[in-house]
Amino acid sequence: ASGVRPGDRMHHVLLTNTTHTLLIFTRTGHCYPISVHQVPEAKWGDIGTAMVNVCGIDHGDEVVAAVPRPDFPEDTYILMTTRKGAVKATSVSDFQSKRSAGLGAIKLSDGDALAYVLETDLKGELIMLTELGKGIRFELSQVSVQGRGARGVRGMNVEQSDRVRSVLQLQDSEETDLVAVFTKAGRAKVTTLEQHPVQRRGGKGVRMIISKGNQPHLCVSAHHCRGTDLFEVVDTTGHEHMVEASRIPVTRRDGNAWTIVNLKSGALVA
C-alpha cells in the first residue's frame, strides 16, 4: 500500500495523467489548481510529498477533495457542501487558473467549513447525510449555480451539534436501488431508496439510522449501490477491508446498523 505518516491516512486514489490539472479543495473553502506534472513522482510505497511543497496550502489547512480535470467546460460543475448544510454549484471553468496562492472556492459563514466536493452535471438528485444520521434527498435542479465568491444556498437545516459528513448524487436510479450507510465503528446498513422521500432543499431531513441517545452512531459515508457491488473500507490505521454489499443487512430507513468490519483496538473507519 501507499506509505503514510503516523496519524495520516489515504484519502483518494485518482486516475489522471501529466497533462491534466488537479483541483485541490480545502476545509477553509480554497481551491489550488496545480498541473499534475508538478506532483513529484514516487514509488507506490513511498510516503510522498507534503502538499505545502506543491501548492500554496496553509500548514493548518486540510484537503477535502482532489478533482482531476482534462479541460474546463462551462457546463460541468463543482458541487460544494459545507458542514452546516450550505450547497453551491460553480462552473468548473471558474477554476481555470495558474495562481499558486489559490482561489476562493466558496464563502463560508463563521464557524463553517467545506465538507464535501464532487463533480456534477446537475442532473438527478442529491442525498446529504450528517454525522448523527439525518439525511435529506432533493432534486439537483434546486441548487443554484453561483460564482466562486458566493455562499451558496441552504441544502439542509443541520442541528448545531451535528455536521454534514457525506453527499451522494443519484443518477439513473430506481426506487428499488439501495442506499448504504457506514459508521466510524465499522457498522453498516442498507435501505431501499424508496424509503427516502424526495423533499425540497433546506429542510431538516429524515433519520437514516437509528437514534441511540448517549451513544449515537457516527456516520461517515453514504453510497448508492446494488446487491452485487463491492465496497473497499479503509480504517484509520490504513488497513483495507473488502465488504460485499450482499453481506450488509437490508433494513428500514431508521433501523439499526450491524458490524461488518472487524476493526483492531482503537481503529475507526476513516
Side-chain angles (χ1 to χ4, degrees):
S2 174
V4 294
R5 294 183 184 279
D8 201 359
R9 65 181 177 89
M10 188 163 60
H11 201 290
H12 289 293
V13 176
L14 305 172
L15 297 178
T16 185
N17 65 53
T18 53
T19 66
H20 290 180
T21 298
L22 199 59
L23 302 178
I24 308 293
F25 293 88
T26 70
R27 288 271 181 241
T28 57
H30 290 86
C31 173
Y32 298 90
I34 61 172
S35 297
V36 172
H37 70 77
Q38 292 179 244
V39 180
E41 191 170 343
K43 295 180 180 179
W44 177 247
D46 292 348
I47 289 178
T49 302
M51 289 302 301
V52 293
N53 298 326
V54 180
C55 63
I57 185 174
D58 291 337
H59 281 273
D61 208 351
E62 182 181 348
V63 173
V64 174
V67 180
R69 287 298 316 167
D71 52 17
F72 294 86
E74 293 186 359
D75 58 351
T76 299
Y77 305 93
I78 298 295
L79 186 83
M80 293 165 275
T81 58
T82 74
R83 289 181 178 179
K84 291 186 176 181
V87 59
K88 184 183 77 166
T90 300
S91 172
V92 73
S93 63
D94 287 10
F95 297 98
Q96 187 171 13
S97 173
K98 296 186 181 297
R99 287 188 57 189
S100 59
L103 307 168
I106 185 171
K107 188 174 183 180
L108 297 170
S109 302
D110 291 343
D112 205 358
L114 190 59
Y116 207 91
V117 176
L118 58 84
E119 190 178 324
T120 178
D121 57 5
L122 289 183
K123 296 177 181 178
E125 299 170 340
L126 201 69
I127 290 181
M128 299 174 67
L129 172 69
T130 72
E131 187 170 62
L132 295 180
K134 297 292 288 292
I136 190 169
R137 175 186 178 190
F138 58 88
E139 296 283 346
L140 268 168
S141 58
Q142 297 180 32
V143 177
S144 302
V145 177
Q146 298 176 317
R148 291 188 291 101
R151 295 180 187 271
V153 295
R154 176 176 287 183
M156 185 176 185
N157 187 356
V158 180
E159 295 181 6
Q160 191 170 0
S161 59
D162 205 357
R163 60 172 176 158
V164 172
R165 277 303 303 260
S166 185
V167 177
L168 169 63
Q169 182 177 0
L170 300 172
Q171 285 187 313
D172 301 322
S173 58
E174 299 179 2
E175 293 300 299
T176 54
D177 287 352
L178 304 173
V179 175
V181 173
F182 289 81
T183 76
K184 280 187 176 182
R187 291 174 171 261
K189 65 185 291 287
V190 164
T191 308
T192 54
L193 182 59
E194 63 188 353
Q195 295 188 49
H196 301 262
V198 179
Q199 301 175 283
R200 288 196 60 80
R201 67 164 179 82
K204 292 186 176 181
V206 295
R207 181 149 293 283
M208 291 180 63
I209 198 168
I210 193 171
S211 176
K212 297 187 67 176
N214 293 331
Q215 292 184 317
H217 289 295
L218 298 179
C219 300
V220 293
S221 64
H223 304 272
H224 176 213
C225 68
R226 294 181 171 87
T228 55
D229 289 346
L230 183 68
F231 292 104
E232 183 179 5
V233 180
V234 181
D235 66 31
T236 50
T237 66
H239 287 89
E240 301 170 2
H241 309 263
M242 307 308 295
V243 178
E244 297 175 352
S246 58
R247 282 183 47 208
I248 306 174
V250 178
T251 183
R252 67 180 192 273
R253 174 177 46 76
D254 59 348
N256 204 356
W258 283 262
T259 299
I260 49 89
V261 177
N262 293 318
L263 300 171
K264 294 183 178 180
S265 179
L268 298 169
V269 173

